[in-house]
Amino acid sequence: MDKKQIYFDHAATTPLCKEALDEMLPYFTQIFGNPNSQHAYGRQAVDAVDKARDSIAKIINCKPNELYFTSGGTESDNWALRGIANAYKQKGKHIVISPIEHAAMLATANALKKDGFEIEFMKVDEYGVVDLEHLKSIVRDDTIFVGCMLANNEVGTIEPIKEIAKIAHEHGAVCFTDAVQAAGVLKTDVKELGVDMMSMSSHKIYGPKGVGALYIRNGLKTQSIITGGHQERMKRGGTTNVPGIVGFAKAFEIAERDREKNFEYVSSLRDRFIDRVLAEVPFVKLNGPRENRLPANADFSFKFIEGESILFSLDLAGISVSSGSACSSGSLEPSHVLLALGLPEELAHGSIRFSFGKHNTVEEVDYAVETIKEAVQRLREMSPLFKAEGEIKYV
Ligand SMILES: *Cc1c(COP(=O)(O)O)cnc(C)c1O
């Protein structure tokens, strides 16, 4: 890559930090043992995994034996929902989730619906914030699971999880939060949040891909989804990903250590970007709240243009962004998140997510704004819709 490359897609994944890489390297070669083995190599691997588990447990304020390593956020989300559904189906079959969950939750809920579970969605307002009064009115005594992400991956909305947990618990339901975007960015103390289960993923916080964790409060019944050997206290089979776990813990420690500093820096880039785009690009809508959103996130709908065409123009200029959620790009479906926020379909199609990281700079932000201005103007000049309706409809 000779051309200048700018990465504004940290909500999709992040580069591995040097500290995590250094910590991981010996576990690929010298200390390669299987923690299940009854010999010195095995014990060394056990020690490394125990240390990583202790460290993450401390960050999220749980006991080490309440933390289970998985292959990432998707598996953790699947396990949380399926595990509770299967373990508690005698109590009830009513499941409540937000409509703006990650595909890992939505697809699992959809599959459970076919197995006879009733899935009901919380309402969210135009910024994506859960309507607590509505939630109160739909949670019932046969509700077994109430799940909502701590922060949304597409529009950055931070959700009132504490209040959601209270409502769930008043009816004896399990409260789950997907903290994949929030971990290392916001405080993720499970006691303070009051949740019973929480998903995390390593590669969104400068750790390696393919590893994550699920917090399961002691005392909860749950069923395994990956059955096999005795790993993870017999709850999750599969040979332990020792280097991944070691790297995940290191990345999480660094993210937690620098959390406030990074929050401030990344929000300042994000605010500069949002302010400039709103002021300098006509017919643009910021999706999600202005305040109370993830520091990294800025999501815009550009009226009269397809998100994909802006994405390609930015890519040509060396700027990597995402249209809607990374999972829905490539498909021409409008974003389910933006539809849940009440956006009309044409705006739900035209959205672009910029997600900043700790290595980005003010110069990169300014270059992106200039590039967007040019690209948007050029694309609109080619848009018959803009010519026909633009000035008249939206001035
Ligand atoms: C990325 C993401 C996931 C999936 O995590 P993986 O580790 O990539 O499987 C789940 N939930 C949210 C909110 C995410 O942003």
Side-chain angles (χ1 to χ4, degrees):
M1 289 197 247
D2 336 292
K3 206 172 61 181
K4 190 170 151 66
Q5 290 283 325
I6 297 178
Y7 188 76
F8 285 162
D9 202 11
H10 293 80
T13 196
T14 54
L16 183 64
C17 68
K18 173 87 170 57
E19 293 92 336
L21 175 65
D22 289 344
E23 195 83 5
M24 291 169 77
L25 283 175
Y27 293 94
F28 287 108
T29 50
Q30 296 108 294
I31 322 174
F32 60 85
N34 182 332
N36 263 14
S37 302
Q38 310 294 313
H39 49 56
Y41 285 86
R43 283 190 295 276
Q44 280 181 313
V46 168
D47 286 347
V49 173
D50 283 351
K51 189 169 155 259
R53 198 186 310 275
D54 288 349
S55 162
I56 296 177
K58 205 168 142 212
I59 296 172
I60 68 163
N61 192 22
C62 73
K63 297 195 188 75
N65 70 5
E66 294 176 308
L67 192 71
Y68 298 85
F69 288 115
T70 65
S71 64
T74 299
E75 185 191 326
S76 297
D77 286 357
N78 268 261
W79 185 8
L81 181 47
R82 263 182 211 282
I84 292 301
N86 289 327
Y88 286 84
K89 61 183 168 213
Q90 276 77 25
K91 182 186 176 246
K93 291 194 144 192
H94 187 236
I95 289 168
V96 176
I97 58 173
S98 93
I100 60 169
E101 293 304 293
H102 188 270
M105 289 295 290
L106 294 176
T108 306
N110 225 0
L112 287 171
K113 203 160 115 187
K114 296 193 183 101
D115 294 340
F117 288 88
E118 184 190 345
I119 311 294
E120 198 164 354
F121 292 101
M122 308 169 188
K123 261 196 198 135
V124 297
D125 69 11
E126 61 185 306
Y127 301 111
V129 181
V130 168
D131 177 341
L132 296 170
E133 289 308 313
H134 175 258
L135 179 62
K136 272 184 208 157
S137 75
I138 61 169
V139 180
R140 324 184 296 224
D141 290 340
D142 65 336
T143 306
I144 51 173
F145 183 98
V146 173
C148 180
M149 54 205 344
L150 187 46
N152 180 265
N153 49 301
E154 196 173 322
V155 293
T157 312
I158 299 171
E159 300 291 354
I161 297 300
K162 251 190 253 184
E163 288 73 18
I164 292 172
K166 263 194 212 119
I167 296 167
H169 292 155
E170 276 163 19
H171 292 271
V174 170
C175 182
F176 160 80
T177 194
D178 173 338
V180 170
Q181 291 287 334
V185 176
L186 308 174
K187 215 167 156 203
T188 44
D189 177 323
V190 293
K191 300 279 172 350
E192 216 178 287
L193 294 168
V195 294
D196 306 295
M197 303 176 110
M198 183 170 85
S199 288
M200 292 149 273
S201 176
S202 155
H203 75 101
K204 305 281 174 81
I205 54 169
Y206 304 92
K209 292 172 182 56
V211 58
L214 180 64
Y215 156 72
I216 307 177
R217 180 174 60 71
N218 279 344
L220 270 197
K221 277 191 297 183
T222 173
Q223 241 180 45
S224 302
I225 56 167
I226 299 194
T227 46
H230 290 184
Q231 292 89 357
E232 297 301 290
R233 297 178 301 291
M234 306 198 51
K235 286 208 165 78
R236 197 270 183 187
T239 300
T240 315
N241 175 3
V242 181
I245 289 167
V246 163
F248 175 24
K250 190 68 190 177
F252 207 167
E253 285 163 28
I254 301 282
E256 193 61 24
R257 185 193 70 194
D258 299 340
R259 189 160 57 82
E260 286 173 14
K261 186 180 82 182
N262 289 340
F263 190 102
E264 201 171 312
Y265 177 67
V266 176
S267 341
S268 74
L269 295 178
R270 190 267 325 264
D271 287 340
R272 180 185 181 94
F273 181 73
I274 290 181
D275 289 343
R276 283 202 61 187
V277 169
L278 289 178
E280 298 173 43
V281 183
F283 311 120
V284 60
K285 180 183 183 312
L286 174 69
N287 298 313
R290 186 66 183 83
E291 310 290 332
N292 199 38
R293 75 190 290 148
L294 285 174
N297 177 287
D299 189 88
F300 288 105
S301 289
F302 296 90
K303 289 166 189 164
F304 314 112
I305 335 177
E306 287 280 330
E308 261 78 14
S309 29
I310 307 175
L311 186 138
F312 295 139
S313 303
L314 293 182
D315 190 30
L316 275 176
I319 304 170
S320 301
V321 299
S322 149
S323 71
S325 68
C327 311
S328 59
S329 58
S331 78
L332 285 173
E333 292 280 297
S335 145
H336 72 278
V337 173
L338 297 181
L339 291 179
L341 268 56
L343 262 73
E345 229 173 87
E346 83 258 21
L347 286 188
H349 266 297
S351 78
I352 293 282
R353 178 186 69 190
F354 302 84
S355 46
F356 305 101
K358 60 183 181 181
H359 303 301
N360 288 135
T361 63
V362 171
E363 290 70 33
E364 290 177 332
V365 165
D366 287 344
Y367 172 69
V369 174
E370 296 305 329
T371 312
I372 291 164
K373 280 160 68 176
E374 275 169 36
V376 165
Q377 192 183 347
R378 186 169 36 78
L379 291 166
R380 281 188 182 146
E381 275 162 11
M382 302 189 304
S383 156
L385 203 67
F386 180 63
K387 291 236 165 76
E389 298 185 51
E391 275 99 332
I392 311 155
K393 199 166 159 191
Y394 287 105
V395 169

